[in-house]
Amino acid sequence: MRAVIAEDSVLLRVGLIKVLEMGGFQVAAEAGDAEGLLAAVAEHRPELALIDVRMPPGFTDEGVRAAMEIRRRWPGTAVVLLSQYVEERYAADLLSAHTSGVGYLLKQRVADVTDFVAAVRRVADGGTALDPQVVAQLLLRRDSDPLARLTPREREVLGLMAEGRSNTGIAQTLVVGESAVAKHINNIFAKLDLPVVDVDHRRVLAVLRFLAADHEHLRPRAPST
């Protein structure tokens, strides 16, 4: 599976290349800015683009805009945004337009190679991966009545679903049976008025659509410095 990496920090870029190669990816190209990223994707048509949120020349949202452009021009390329800080408005921007083959992770996750590679591969396979800290902030911002109906355990399950965990993964994390997880998920969909579908991946996307619904509320916030 081919990947393109866009990261202006040379040291981190080298580290990301090593991590992806250890995970079985072939790094087809690397870039230090959004322009170079778009050129590399156009040339190599990779299955995955790993993109820093902030890159030259402005170090604001160049990576986000490049990711949106990649999904518009090459919808078969999955994208994972990497950020130094929790900037949930960027995650919401991306998720409001695309809820498959997308991810938003903090750079600190790279240190946990196994989990990081698993999250990236999940996105490359058409799934989703949202950083737990981003999920937590999105949930805190969702003070609407539907979310208030959830029990504390259901909120835990919802957060793990939004991270991209499967039913088995949720059960292992919470140390409960899969039947209990399935029951919680059915309750969540009922309380949030979300459709229950057969494929776990599609259920995760439906939850992400719900979480991303407040992206207009998040947009006015100034980026972190």
Side-chain angles (χ1 to χ4, degrees):
M1 189 172 287
R2 292 166 302 139
V4 166
I5 295 175
E7 165 61 55
D8 63 283
S9 168
V10 175
L11 288 177
L12 181 55
R13 194 162 72 230
V14 170
L16 289 170
I17 291 172
K18 294 296 184 183
V19 168
L20 288 187
E21 288 178 344
M22 288 171 58
F25 288 86
Q26 175 192 349
V27 179
E30 55 184 282
D33 55 35
E35 183 178 353
L37 165 65
L38 293 174
V41 173
E43 177 181 355
H44 298 282
R45 304 294 176 88
E47 285 77 26
L48 172 74
L50 197 60
I51 308 168
D52 185 13
V53 166
R54 300 183 177 194
M55 291 187 291
F59 293 96
T60 54
D61 63 347
E62 289 83 2
V64 180
R65 289 186 280 112
M68 301 283 279
E69 179 68 9
I70 288 171
R71 293 310 303 269
R72 184 185 69 82
R73 295 170 60 182
W74 304 286
T77 298
V79 297
V80 175
L81 289 176
L82 292 177
S83 179
Q84 188 70 39
Y85 310 102
V86 176
E87 296 174 295
E88 68 271 26
R89 71 188 186 96
Y90 292 147
D93 283 344
L94 185 63
L95 290 168
S96 67
H98 306 282
T99 51
S100 63
V102 296
Y104 186 101
L105 301 172
L106 294 184
K107 291 182 179 180
Q108 68 192 50
R109 303 295 170 195
V110 180
D112 191 334
V113 174
T114 301
D115 283 354
F116 179 75
V117 170
V120 170
R121 184 165 293 281
R122 185 163 63 243
V123 174
D125 289 338
T128 54
L130 199 56
D131 195 277
Q133 290 190 35
V134 177
V135 172
Q137 291 207 18
L138 285 173
L139 288 173
L140 286 174
R141 290 180 176 277
R142 295 294 297 182
D143 56 2
S144 59
D145 289 339
L147 195 63
R149 302 172 193 165
L150 301 183
T151 66
R153 176 62 87 182
E154 288 166 354
R155 288 172 66 94
E156 282 186 286
V157 172
L158 176 61
L160 291 169
M161 288 172 66
E163 290 175 28
R165 305 295 183 94
S166 66
N167 284 16
T168 301
I170 294 172
Q172 292 173 346
T173 300
L174 299 180
V175 196
V176 298
E178 289 192 45
S179 61
V181 172
K183 181 178 179 180
H184 288 312
I185 290 175
N186 287 335
N187 289 341
I188 289 168
F189 279 111
K191 292 178 180 180
L192 301 185
D193 300 318
L194 294 172
V196 179
V197 293
D198 294 332
V199 182
D200 182 70
H201 166 64
R202 297 290 298 276
R203 294 203 302 268
V204 173
L205 299 186
V207 173
L208 287 174
R209 287 184 188 277
F210 180 81
L211 293 176
D214 60 351
H215 97 287
E216 290 299 330
H217 169 70
L218 295 170
R219 188 180 292 277
R221 296 184 65 218
S224 304
T225 57

